[in-house]
Amino acid sequence: MGVSRRNYILMMGSSKRRSCCSSSRSSSWLVMLVLQLLVLMFQLVAFMGLHQGVEAQGSWEIVQNNAGIASMHTAVTNYGTVVLLDRTDIGPSQLPLPDGVCRNDANDESSTVDCTAHSAIFDPVSGTIRPLFIQTDTWCSSGQFDADGTLVQTGGDNDGFSKIRTFSPCAADGDCNWVETTTPLQNGRWYATNQRLPDGTQVVVGGRSTSTLEYVPANGAPVFLDLISNANDAQNDNLYPYVHLLPNNQLFIFANRDSILFDWTTNSVVGNLPTIPGEPRNYPSAGSSAMLPLSGFNGWTDPEILVCGGSTYGAFLNVAAELPASISCGRIAPLSATPAWAMEDMPLRRNMGDMVLLPDRTVLILNGAANGAQGWGNAQNPVLTPVLYTSTAAVGTRFQSLTATQIPRVYHSTANLLPDGRVLVAGSNTHQFYTLTGDLPTELRIEAFSPPYLSGNQPSINNPPSTFPYGSTYDFSISGGNPDLIEINMLSAPYTTHSFSQGQRLLQLQTTVPVEDFFGAYTVTATAPPSAVIAPSAYYMLFAVSQGIPSQASWVQVGNN
């Protein structure tokens, strides 16, 4: 690569012996040397570019080698801490409760006296874990944050079937803990989905052998939905239905391969949407879904829903772990005059994948397996490679494969966006009890994935607001990044379980042209969402994004509280 030391000496020696020769020969030698140096520079630039290309695929790090529990349900609080939650009827975990604290439960199917934790609060910055006490079984339950940041958690199995629990977050070194309320659900729910509504309540949809939806706090009797009935589905591929609040105040509800528009103010189905082609998409076939980002620049209209992955029918019913997972994604605009599914293929087959909306308005899809379905021992061939989906790119160019992890994450794994732009990945337990050996052991390690955008120069918000009333404007002072390519984006903190992030939402705020100040920073005026229909009142992570590179998020409470 370039001129060797020996050749350089020979060239110099040759030039000295021929110093009497013509100046044209000397010029030729100089030209050759310059060309060699140019080659060296070109090769160096090419090498640096290749190296940057490798870094640009993202990176993984283990942030906790032993969390003590395999998190089946995960949620990020407005303190930046992370709630980890597993089932209780699983026998002892690897995380002890404080001395003298034990769970006594005569109904427990495994340990009537259990002195280990099945929930914890985790600090992703320091890596510290504090055990939390929870009494009733949260196996395959559901949840969502309220406007004040309280996590409301509903249902489960056994003695948790009709239970409502709350968790008011605190810092990692605080003393917050779970509270078991005395008001039960009207219908017991196992494998249900929660969605926060504009009026401050939560709708809880479906569950195994539960073909209704209800509201928490209760608001009338439960409402029957044929969409989530088990009558026509022996495999019950309608569990953990995908529920999204649309900007026209209707709910998009998807189960198995069908979906409806539901008016929660009148408790009525107002539209039936086309059947998505391909395989079953909900638990236990286990695809995933996200509503693509909404934008203030188009008046918060034209929502689109993305559904990816799933399993061949029968993979769960017949415990046929060799059957292939789905490779397809469907995308639909449910409020268009003629809604239809636009189909495209992922780079890899995947079930049990988790979709995470990223602050640059892309969708990260990670975790899962290429064969089988959800359930104990029902999956094979873990998919280690995440993919990035860019909804604004042309068809055929929307997917990008990223750096693979070394840790399989299959049944009962989760993925959640952190305020620093990383994605926290936890859990994976394909066994009835904790099994720490074998090909797919119970996974107690917690990882963080740094998406490609974290390799760039991050902007920063100098004056983050703490509250953001509906329809108000705010002047953000931003340092770093490119002022000509700046966005202000808000993301909710969902409750993630079983390949679906309940309540996940990304809002691109309408902004003005940046104005530079005397100190090198610049001001961008952003307008808050107009109402709770667009942004149900809650804490959101607020990012400044420059050329696709996000700042550290600030927590902002959106609404008129």
Side-chain angles (χ1 to χ4, degrees):
M1 189 169 89
V3 182
S4 68
R5 183 174 182 275
R6 178 177 180 277
N7 288 341
Y8 179 79
I9 292 172
L10 289 174
M11 289 165 56
M12 292 299 291
S14 176
S15 67
K16 288 179 180 178
R17 289 193 298 272
R18 292 194 293 251
S19 60
C20 61
C21 300
S22 67
S23 61
S24 62
R25 292 185 179 181
S26 179
S27 298
S28 298
W29 174 81
L30 288 173
V31 169
M32 184 172 67
L33 182 60
V34 169
L35 289 173
Q36 292 283 357
L37 290 172
L38 288 172
V39 170
L40 276 172
M41 291 175 63
F42 175 81
Q43 291 173 328
L44 179 62
V45 169
F47 172 78
M48 290 177 65
L50 179 62
H51 185 57
Q52 289 174 350
V54 171
E55 287 185 340
Q57 306 310 307
S59 61
W60 291 87
E61 61 177 318
I62 296 175
V63 294
Q64 173 54 249
N65 269 307
N66 186 353
I69 66 172
S71 190
M72 181 190 302
H73 319 288
T74 307
V76 180
T77 79
N78 60 292
Y79 284 84
T81 53
V82 183
V83 178
L84 310 175
L85 190 62
D86 198 6
R87 56 179 290 210
T88 56
D89 287 2
I90 200 170
S93 74
Q94 300 292 304
L95 181 66
L97 287 165
D99 288 344
V101 177
C102 294
R103 182 174 145 273
N104 295 278
D105 189 348
N107 296 315
D108 195 297
E109 296 178 352
S110 179
S111 303
T112 56
V113 178
D114 186 352
C115 302
T116 63
H118 298 278
S119 183
I121 190 165
F122 172 64
D123 184 343
V125 176
S126 66
T128 58
I129 292 272
R130 179 170 68 84
L132 300 175
F133 182 91
I134 194 158
Q135 177 67 27
T136 55
D137 192 15
T138 56
W139 184 15
C140 300
S141 51
S142 54
Q144 190 90 157
F145 285 104
D146 267 349
D148 64 356
T150 299
L151 181 59
V152 177
Q153 216 271 337
T154 50
D157 190 30
N158 202 8
D159 59 359
F161 189 48
S162 299
K163 201 69 181 178
I164 300 175
R165 314 164 193 85
T166 62
F167 180 82
S168 297
C170 61
D173 57 356
D175 60 357
C176 49
N177 221 316
W178 286 101
V179 174
E180 307 262 346
T181 70
T182 56
T183 302
L185 291 165
Q186 296 180 76
N187 291 157
R189 298 189 185 269
W190 191 27
Y191 300 90
T193 297
N194 291 25
Q195 169 63 55
R196 190 171 58 256
L197 296 173
D199 67 352
T201 63
Q202 294 186 22
V203 62
V204 189
V205 184
R208 188 181 293 279
S209 302
T210 307
S211 303
T212 63
L213 61 79
E214 66 178 277
Y215 301 93
V216 176
N219 180 16
V223 180
F224 174 79
L225 275 187
D226 185 63
L227 177 76
I228 53 176
S229 169
N230 296 332
N232 301 314
D233 181 9
Q235 191 168 261
N236 293 345
D237 278 307
N238 52 19
L239 304 179
Y240 280 122
Y242 306 145
V243 182
H244 302 287
L245 175 66
L246 301 176
N248 70 340
N249 204 22
Q250 294 174 358
L251 294 174
F252 172 92
I253 305 177
F254 180 107
N256 196 337
R257 295 174 56 219
D258 292 307
S259 49
I260 60 171
L261 298 177
F262 183 82
D263 186 338
W264 64 272
T265 67
T266 61
N267 285 325
S268 58
V269 176
V270 293
N272 291 282
L273 298 167
T275 299
I276 190 172
E279 297 75 18
R281 306 287 177 166
N282 291 82
Y283 182 96
S285 291
S288 191
S289 175
M291 182 168 68
L292 295 177
L294 300 175
S295 177
F297 287 101
N298 68 358
W300 309 105
T301 57
D302 304 325
E304 289 189 88
I305 307 298
L306 182 68
V307 175
C308 292
S311 301
T312 302
Y313 184 82
F316 177 81
L317 190 65
N318 302 315
V319 196
E322 73 278 2
L323 291 177
S326 174
I327 200 169
S328 68
C329 286
R331 181 168 159 177
I332 192 170
L335 300 183
S336 69
T338 55
W341 289 99
M343 304 302 295
E344 53 192 318
D345 284 349
M346 299 181 286
L348 302 163
R349 294 185 178 276
R350 191 186 304 260
N351 59 34
M352 293 181 283
D354 285 283
M355 284 188 183
V356 181
L357 294 174
L358 298 180
D360 64 349
R361 293 186 287 123
T362 59
V363 184
L364 182 69
I365 308 174
L366 71 173
N367 299 340
N371 297 83
Q374 289 196 340
W376 293 325
N378 287 357
Q380 293 179 358
N381 300 325
V383 180
L384 304 178
T385 302
V387 297
L388 199 64
Y389 179 84
T390 303
S391 62
T392 55
V395 176
T397 66
R398 290 174 176 163
F399 288 100
Q400 176 190 1
S401 295
L402 304 179
T403 301
T405 181
Q406 300 300 309
I407 301 176
R409 304 279 182 178
V410 288
Y411 190 41
H412 291 158
S413 58
T414 61
N416 295 73
L417 179 69
L418 294 173
D420 60 11
R422 295 180 300 167
V423 175
L424 192 79
V425 183
S428 188
N429 188 13
T430 187
H431 310 280
Q432 183 175 1
F433 305 108
Y434 279 21
T435 304
L436 304 179
T437 59
D439 292 337
L440 291 173
T442 303
E443 186 53 68
L444 303 179
R445 290 173 291 180
I446 300 177
E447 293 175 285
F449 177 67
S450 295
Y453 54 52
L454 289 179
S455 62
N457 181 25
Q458 291 184 268
S460 60
I461 301 174
N462 301 320
N463 61 336
S466 58
T467 60
F468 209 5
Y470 292 127
S472 65
T473 59
Y474 187 83
D475 296 334
F476 289 88
S477 173
I478 299 171
S479 297
N482 185 338
D484 296 324
L485 295 169
I486 195 75
E487 300 178 13
I488 305 294
N489 296 335
M490 298 191 329
L491 291 98
S492 65
Y495 176 94
T496 300
T497 187
H498 289 75
S499 306
F500 183 57
S501 289
Q502 302 177 14
Q504 184 171 220
R505 201 171 193 83
L506 192 158
L507 306 170
Q508 181 190 25
L509 303 185
Q510 187 174 10
T511 54
T512 60
V513 175
V515 177
E516 190 170 0
D517 62 23
F518 293 107
F519 303 100
Y522 47 94
T523 299
V524 174
T525 301
T527 302
S531 70
V533 174
I534 305 302
S537 184
Y539 283 93
Y540 289 75
M541 288 180 271
L542 190 145
F543 293 86
V545 183
S546 175
Q547 291 180 291
I549 302 171
S551 67
Q552 170 81 25
S554 301
W555 287 99
V556 59
Q557 192 173 25
V558 176
N560 292 325
N561 297 326

